[in-house]
Amino acid sequence: MAGNTFGQLFRITTFGESHGVAIGVILDGCPAQLPIDLDFIQSELDKRRPGQSKITTQRKESDTVQILSGTFEGKSTGTPIAMLIPNEDQRSKDYSHNTDVYRPSHADYTYDAKYGIRDHRGGGRSSARETAARVAAGAIAKLLLKHHGIDIFAHVSAVGQIQAPNLDQDDIPALLAIREDNIARCADPATAHQMIEFIDGIRKDGDTVGGKVSCIIKNCPVGLGEPVFDKLHADLGKAMLSINAVHGFEYGSGFSGSEMRGSAHNDIFLANEGQPKTLTNFSGGIQGGISNGMEINFTVAFKPVATIMHNQQTINAAGEAAEIKGKGRHDPCVVPRAVVIVEAMAALVLADHLLRNKTVGL
């Protein structure tokens, strides 16, 4: 199957299925002598793992990562880094009811139509379980970015129609502490409480709800992005839209910018001791597809999880009318566990462009 590799110089290939033996990733292009903090990688995976709260799937996976190659005495060697995450709590019998019936809004039909075969156990390769491999690789990308002083922070900014207020984004450590202190992973405590109550009610109804994750990237150097087809925001958009359940991406002023006049939307340059700044940041830190040194900000919209605990009309593999009811363990809202996935994909994009930018001049 093509399409399992992401990035050019800092490149990952993920493998494995939801109910297979394991999932994993091979990371090629990581510079040598980068300190590899296994505890940090595991802590990132712990933020994504299932079974961590009452508002997430109750599948129990420790997501314990094993580094198989590419490191020596705690540092990267410049050779491919292979990481493996065993599957420990598969319950394939939960999917015996849909061996030849297509779940609405899942990849069941499209995979079957494309390949003529599909793994019905949790969706196989189309399952969001694959994203654990991205988080492991993204953790190493974060270590590389941290070496260059670049910080990435994301949080749940909306669940359904519950919207978090705009945050004071100057103190990322403080925001991170607030985010990790609640199971909604929202950096505003009052909004987080509302979100948790709402998601729990949705869960009890056997239904699901969507939400949004907002991300900021601070201290990104000027010059990242490769016009014309690999603009920085284009690669960020592709990265985010590759995440399961993502239905929308906007950066800077996003769609609201289409309602503004140029006189209001233009980001006016200010002299700033040799490092230009802009008075506003409707560009989201990216102009002409290239980072301009301002804070990069974007928002990712997630649809409701497709599996609901209600009877639904569908069809079977023969094209006949059928009925299906969701079974198994599923998230009523995916966004609390998706925060670290958004950060990981953003880190992979920036790490790749950081290395690519070293090739543009003498």
Side-chain angles (χ1 to χ4, degrees):
M1 184 191 299
N4 297 295
T5 298
F6 183 81
Q8 292 198 19
L9 296 186
F10 196 92
R11 179 181 298 183
I12 67 166
T13 299
T14 70
F15 61 88
E17 295 82 33
S18 175
H19 286 238
V21 175
I23 55 175
V25 60
I26 298 173
L27 167 58
D28 199 5
C30 180
Q33 301 192 47
L34 177 71
I36 302 297
D37 186 341
L38 183 58
D39 289 338
F40 174 71
I41 297 171
Q42 189 61 57
S43 71
E44 292 290 277
L45 284 163
D46 289 346
K47 296 171 187 174
R48 196 222 68 98
R49 67 175 175 81
Q52 58 185 277
S53 77
K54 67 179 181 179
I55 60 171
T56 65
T57 171
Q58 294 307 295
R59 178 170 174 170
K60 299 296 183 182
E61 297 282 355
S62 68
D63 281 354
T64 302
V65 64
Q66 305 169 22
I67 298 181
L68 306 181
S69 67
T71 66
F72 180 68
E73 296 183 342
K75 293 184 178 181
S76 59
T77 62
T79 59
I81 299 173
M83 291 182 282
L84 191 73
I85 304 167
N87 289 328
E88 301 168 337
D89 188 29
Q90 311 97 312
R91 289 205 322 220
S92 300
K93 61 181 176 60
D94 287 345
Y95 298 91
S96 59
H97 66 295
N98 72 309
T99 55
D100 65 347
V101 177
Y102 300 135
R103 296 170 296 171
S105 288
H106 277 276
D108 295 350
Y109 167 69
T110 51
Y111 266 60
D112 211 4
K114 181 177 178 67
Y115 300 107
I117 185 172
R118 71 179 177 96
D119 185 347
H120 68 276
R121 304 165 304 167
R125 184 73 176 144
S126 69
S127 169
R129 177 130 187 83
E130 177 271 339
T131 59
R134 307 185 193 200
V135 171
I140 294 180
K142 283 186 176 181
L143 292 172
L144 177 61
L145 296 180
K146 182 67 72 173
H147 180 74
H148 291 272
I150 303 170
D151 290 315
I152 300 177
F153 172 80
H155 83 123
V156 174
S157 55
V159 169
Q161 295 184 351
I162 301 173
Q163 303 274 344
N166 292 330
L167 303 174
D168 179 0
Q169 300 174 348
D170 289 334
D171 191 351
I172 287 184
L175 293 177
L176 182 62
I178 296 170
R179 184 193 79 183
E180 290 305 307
D181 195 41
N182 66 81
I183 59 177
R185 288 210 164 84
C186 174
D188 180 72
T191 311
H193 178 73
Q194 296 178 51
M195 289 174 172
I196 293 167
E197 293 299 309
F198 181 60
I199 295 172
D200 198 36
I202 291 288
R203 178 186 64 82
K204 292 174 181 176
D205 288 342
D207 214 335
T208 62
V209 68
K212 297 176 183 177
V213 173
S214 294
C215 184
I216 59 174
I217 302 170
K218 299 183 78 72
N219 306 318
C220 181
V222 179
L224 301 193
E226 300 291 334
V228 292
F229 295 115
D230 291 347
K231 292 179 170 70
L232 186 58
H233 60 276
D235 279 359
L236 285 169
K238 178 179 179 178
M240 299 308 144
L241 290 165
S242 75
I243 300 171
N244 306 61
V246 169
H247 269 211
F249 168 82
E250 61 178 359
Y251 74 101
S253 62
F255 285 99
S256 65
S258 66
E259 302 170 1
M260 300 173 66
R261 297 188 180 192
S263 55
H265 191 271
N266 286 348
D267 293 323
I268 304 303
F269 282 108
L270 303 173
N272 183 45
E273 299 180 355
Q275 176 59 62
K277 294 182 63 177
T278 57
L279 182 62
T280 53
N281 192 25
F282 293 116
S283 299
I286 303 170
Q287 293 173 326
I290 301 172
S291 59
N292 66 0
M294 295 293 289
E295 176 185 281
I296 295 172
N297 59 76
F298 60 86
T299 297
V300 186
F302 288 78
K303 73 179 181 72
V305 173
T307 298
I308 60 175
M309 300 303 151
H310 298 166
N311 290 338
Q312 297 182 88
Q313 297 303 307
T314 185
I315 60 171
N316 60 25
E320 302 165 335
E323 187 176 77
I324 191 169
K325 181 177 181 178
K327 295 181 180 180
R329 301 157 295 178
H330 304 278
D331 293 273
C333 182
V334 73
V335 288
R337 291 173 60 213
V339 167
V340 70
I341 306 170
V342 167
E343 289 185 348
M345 293 306 296
L348 290 168
V349 170
L350 288 182
D352 191 38
H353 277 280
L354 194 67
L355 297 182
R356 292 170 69 177
N357 205 45
K358 295 182 181 295
T359 69
V360 298
L362 295 176

